[in-house]
């Protein structure tokens, strides 16, 4: 009350008589009106400030003058990462304007590409997965938390909450060359100047793209997925000489933008190498460990391009470019230039889908590798890393003779791909001998098309082939989900667990 009396008494700017009531009311109303634009324009900021789970982005937004101006004057869409998303971001730089677009879009209105408000307006890519989840680049929009508001200028503004910080493609901190919103070919050309992590080099593949005159493929407007092998993948052999135009085409998914979080797992995608004379698909798949892979499957090949599957780990994912997304991969797809032995030996120095299988072979003297090295044709049924977590294995792991018998049960002295197995299985369940004395494997095919499941039974264990037809120069590797010959439970354990 005391403050109120002093303010009225000094309303004329001095110590004289008080202003009439109607004048005081007018001044008060004018003061209130002056405050309205500031309050209205900060409505999204107010909403953010009220949510402790969004405090980190709110702090960054407050400090960005361009973002504040946009909120005050323009329509916009704001993609806001949660604090949990920032924890996974690990204190890396955050580009606020890459999280904004100057058009208001609810979830139903989101288009395939949206220009961000960052310099150069690099696009944000909107995709949906099979479950109907909506993603902006690799971040999922949390559907129940989106809000729509109107600022003082009457402009619609929409805020979506996302589970990952959006990361644009930017130059390295010490780069003096200005690079804004490059396409995939400019990315290839300038990759040494870009912040793509862990010192990945792309010089070998870049030179092959230029040598084969495939620049236009990487400059194509629209939205595509580019799989680019790093230089490490060309060290083992003269592999670069095998990269021809068709191989380059087999690394591009045209008109199909796939970020890993929204990737359709185990669903083949057609590549630019899908025509009358050659047909190549690419599939994304993920280990339980979280490691993401792509695999090419040459369904129809020729004398230069063998049929079969080639696996490659994604070593740097979700790099957005002006015409789609880039994933850096460990080795080139489509190229079959290693023996089965060399393929297994590749897991000696790297974690991969068959690391546990290789380690088990070596822990038992490495005899299996020596044996299959002498075979001109061979098929390996290789248990996945998860398959070796079976507790029953620990009881016999130190029994070298028994383990060698188990390992031999996974080796067939014939090149058997899935088509061969189907042919053998036409009239009866296919029975195939192994290197393990008097042990046969029995293949069975259930379902058709996408629902087809191929199982193999051996030594009392029924396993499913989870990755078929990994091609090598002298045969095939099929990855299975169980170790043959070692039941998960003993007979006693099974009796005890049955009701």
């Amino acid at each position: 009350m005391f403050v109120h009396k002093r303010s009225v008494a000094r309303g004329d700017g001095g110590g004289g008589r008080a202003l009439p009531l109607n004048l005081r009311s007018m001044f008060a109303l004018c003061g209130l009106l002056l405050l309205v634009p500031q309050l209205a324009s900060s409505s999204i900021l107010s909403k953010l400030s009220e949510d402790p789970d969004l405090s980190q982005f709110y702090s960054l937004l407050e400090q960005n003058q361009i973002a504040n101006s946009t909120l005050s004057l323009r329509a916009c869409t704001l993609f806001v990462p949660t604090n949990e998303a920032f924890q996974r971001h690990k204190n890396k730089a955050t580009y606020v304007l890459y999280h904004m677009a100057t058009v208001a879009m609810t979830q139903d209105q989101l288009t395939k590409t949206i220009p961000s408000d960052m310099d150069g307006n690099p696009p944000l890519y909107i995709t949906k997965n099979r479950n109907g989840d909506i993603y902006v680049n690799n971040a999922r929009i949390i559907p129940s938390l989106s809000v729509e508001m109107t600022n003082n200028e009457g402009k619609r503004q929409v805020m979506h909450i996302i589970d990952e910080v959006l990361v644009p493609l930017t130059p390295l901190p010490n780069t003096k060359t200005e690079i804004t919103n490059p396409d995939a070919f400019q990315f290839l050309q300038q990759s040494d100047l870009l912040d793509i992590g862990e010192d990945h080099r792309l010089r070998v593949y870049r030179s092959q793209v230029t040598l084969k005159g495939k620049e236009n493929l990487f400059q194509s407007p629209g939205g595509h997925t580019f799989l680019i092998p790093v230089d490490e993948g060309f060290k083992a052999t003269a592999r670069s000489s095998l990269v021809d135009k068709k191989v380059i085409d087999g690394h591009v998914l045209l008109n199909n933008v796939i970020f890993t979080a929204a990737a359709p797992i185990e669903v083949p995608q057609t590549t630019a190498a899908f025509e009358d004379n050659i047909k190549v698909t690419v599939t994304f798949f993920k280990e339980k460990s979280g490691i993401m892979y792509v695999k090419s499957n040459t369904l129809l090949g020729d004398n230069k391009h063998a049929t079969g599957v080639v696996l490659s780990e994604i070593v740097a994912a979700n790099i957005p470019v002006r015409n789609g997304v880039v994933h850096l991969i460990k080795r080139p797809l489509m190229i079959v230039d290693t023996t089965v032995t060399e393929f297994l030996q590749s897991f000696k120095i790297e974690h991969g889908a068959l690391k546990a299988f290789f380690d088990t072979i070596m822990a038992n003297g490495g005899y299996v590798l020596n044996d299959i090295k002498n075979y001109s044709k061979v098929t390996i049924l290789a248990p996945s890393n998860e398959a070796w977590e079976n507790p029953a294995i620990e009881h016999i792991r130190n029994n070298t003779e028994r383990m060698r018998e188990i390992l031999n049960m996974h080796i067939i002295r014939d090149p058997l791909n899935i088509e061969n197995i189907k042919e053998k299985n036409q009239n009866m369940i296919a029975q195939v001998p192994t290197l393990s004395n008097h042990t046969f494997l029995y293949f069975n095919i259930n379902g058709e098309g996408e629902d087809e499941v191929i199982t193999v039974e051996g030594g009392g264990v029924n396993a499913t082939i989870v990755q078929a037809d990994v091609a090598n120069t002298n045969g095939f590797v099929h990855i299975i989900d169980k170790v043959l010959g070692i039941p998960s439970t003993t007979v006693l354990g099974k009796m005890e667990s049955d009701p």
Side-chain angles (χ1 to χ4, degrees):
M1 293 297 293
F2 178 73
V3 174
H4 173 71
K5 287 181 180 179
R6 286 187 61 193
S7 64
V8 172
R10 299 177 61 182
D12 62 352
R17 62 187 177 86
L19 291 171
L21 180 61
N22 58 343
L23 287 176
R24 280 182 288 166
S25 300
M26 288 177 63
F27 278 119
L29 180 60
C30 288
L32 182 60
L33 289 173
L34 287 171
L35 288 173
V36 168
Q38 181 181 353
L39 292 172
S41 65
S42 64
S43 57
I44 281 186
L45 280 176
S46 298
K47 185 74 175 175
L48 280 170
S49 69
E50 295 167 2
D51 193 333
D53 293 331
L54 307 176
S55 61
Q56 288 186 253
F57 189 77
Y58 169 67
S59 177
L60 294 170
L61 191 64
E62 267 194 319
Q63 300 169 42
N64 191 295
Q65 293 181 354
I66 297 175
N68 275 277
S69 177
T70 297
L71 288 170
S72 298
L73 302 172
R74 308 178 71 179
C76 69
T77 299
L78 191 63
F79 298 99
V80 181
T82 62
N83 288 352
E84 186 179 344
F86 274 98
Q87 291 175 5
R88 293 192 298 271
H89 195 52
K90 297 179 181 178
N91 298 319
K92 298 176 184 175
T94 302
Y95 296 85
V96 171
L97 297 181
Y98 192 59
H99 292 73
M100 296 187 76
T102 53
V103 58
M105 290 186 174
T106 61
Q107 291 180 37
D108 293 336
Q109 295 169 332
L110 291 169
T111 54
K112 287 185 177 180
T113 59
I114 303 171
S116 71
D117 210 23
M118 187 175 168
D119 286 350
N121 303 116
L124 301 170
Y125 294 96
I126 306 298
T127 55
K128 292 183 180 180
N129 67 8
R130 284 181 162 185
N131 298 325
D133 294 323
I134 303 174
Y135 290 79
V136 51
N137 289 8
N138 202 53
R140 186 178 71 89
I141 293 176
I142 302 172
S144 61
L145 300 181
S146 296
V147 296
E148 181 178 350
M149 301 176 181
T150 303
N151 69 4
N152 190 57
E153 299 294 323
K155 304 293 186 179
R156 289 177 60 239
Q157 298 180 333
V158 180
M159 179 171 66
H160 301 293
I161 311 304
I162 55 177
D163 68 355
E164 188 170 304
V165 176
L166 301 178
V167 181
L169 179 59
T170 57
L172 289 166
N174 58 353
T175 300
K176 296 180 180 179
T177 304
E178 184 176 349
I179 305 173
T180 56
N181 197 17
D183 63 25
F185 185 65
Q186 291 168 326
F187 168 84
L188 261 180
Q189 286 182 308
Q190 301 174 310
S191 60
D192 293 343
L193 304 176
L194 296 168
D195 187 5
I196 55 177
E198 291 198 19
D199 196 32
H200 295 303
R201 293 284 181 264
L202 311 177
R203 294 170 184 173
V204 176
Y205 196 69
R206 177 172 63 213
S207 66
Q208 292 304 112
V209 168
T210 303
L211 185 65
K212 304 303 179 185
K214 297 298 292 184
E215 297 94 336
N216 288 344
L217 179 63
F218 290 80
Q219 295 167 335
S220 301
H224 321 290
T225 300
F226 302 91
L227 305 168
I228 298 180
V230 297
D231 284 359
E232 181 187 347
F234 295 95
K235 287 181 179 179
T237 61
R239 193 171 280 168
S240 61
S241 63
L242 301 176
V243 178
D244 59 16
K245 291 183 178 182
K246 295 304 179 187
V247 169
I248 293 171
D249 287 344
H251 287 73
V252 179
L253 311 180
L254 290 173
N255 304 309
N256 191 1
V257 176
I258 298 179
F259 286 80
T260 55
I265 301 300
E266 294 290 356
V267 179
Q269 310 291 323
T270 56
T271 69
F274 203 91
E275 50 193 45
D276 291 341
N277 298 324
I278 189 167
K279 297 186 186 298
V280 181
T281 62
V282 162
T283 303
F284 289 76
F285 74 99
K286 192 174 186 178
E287 276 198 321
K288 289 182 180 179
S289 63
I291 296 176
M292 198 84 174
Y293 293 83
V294 286
K295 61 183 179 185
S296 63
N297 189 1
T298 304
L299 304 169
L300 176 63
D302 53 33
N303 59 346
K304 291 184 178 180
H305 308 98
T307 58
V309 169
V310 174
L311 303 179
S312 189
E313 180 184 341
I314 297 177
V315 295
N318 307 315
I319 303 169
V321 291
R322 187 166 73 236
N323 56 344
V325 63
V326 170
H327 304 290
L328 303 185
I329 58 177
K330 180 160 276 188
R331 58 150 294 167
L333 303 171
M334 286 183 64
I335 295 174
V336 178
D337 62 348
T338 58
T339 65
V340 169
T341 301
E342 290 168 337
F343 172 71
L344 293 175
Q345 286 174 330
S346 70
F347 297 101
K348 178 179 181 179
I349 57 174
E350 65 180 55
H351 177 79
L354 299 179
K355 174 67 171 171
F357 183 48
F358 176 80
D359 288 346
T360 302
I361 290 173
M362 299 312 296
N364 288 275
Y367 300 114
V368 169
L369 288 184
N370 294 332
D371 290 343
I372 63 177
K373 197 173 184 178
N374 298 319
Y375 301 146
S376 59
K377 299 295 180 183
V378 66
T379 298
I380 306 291
L381 294 160
S384 65
N385 291 333
E386 291 78 15
W388 293 98
E389 295 173 3
N390 176 4
I393 296 173
E394 297 306 316
H395 300 302
I396 62 169
R397 194 176 286 276
N398 295 325
N399 186 336
T400 303
E401 184 177 346
R402 174 66 176 141
M403 285 302 299
R404 187 171 182 182
E405 181 183 338
I406 293 294
L407 290 170
N408 282 339
M409 194 181 298
H410 294 77
I411 303 172
I412 301 167
R413 288 191 63 175
D414 262 321
L416 284 181
N417 62 13
I418 292 302
E419 288 306 312
N420 299 144
I421 293 170
K422 287 181 178 179
E423 289 173 8
K424 289 177 176 288
N425 210 71
Q426 282 183 347
N427 300 317
M428 63 184 71
I429 293 176
Q431 176 180 308
V432 180
T434 71
L435 290 190
S436 185
N437 289 334
H438 310 299
T439 300
F440 288 81
L441 301 182
Y442 301 88
F443 291 90
N444 197 15
I445 301 171
N446 299 299
E448 296 180 357
E450 291 184 5
D451 298 325
E452 183 180 85
V453 175
I454 300 177
T455 60
V456 54
E457 193 275 329
V461 174
N462 195 43
T464 299
I465 295 178
V466 294
Q467 176 53 63
D469 290 352
V470 179
N472 295 274
T473 55
N474 64 331
F476 297 92
V477 173
H478 306 294
I479 301 176
I480 57 178
D481 65 351
K482 293 183 180 69
V483 179
L484 302 176
I486 307 179
S488 296
T489 57
T490 63
V491 174
L492 177 60
K494 183 169 177 59
M495 291 175 63
E496 290 176 343
S497 63
D498 285 342

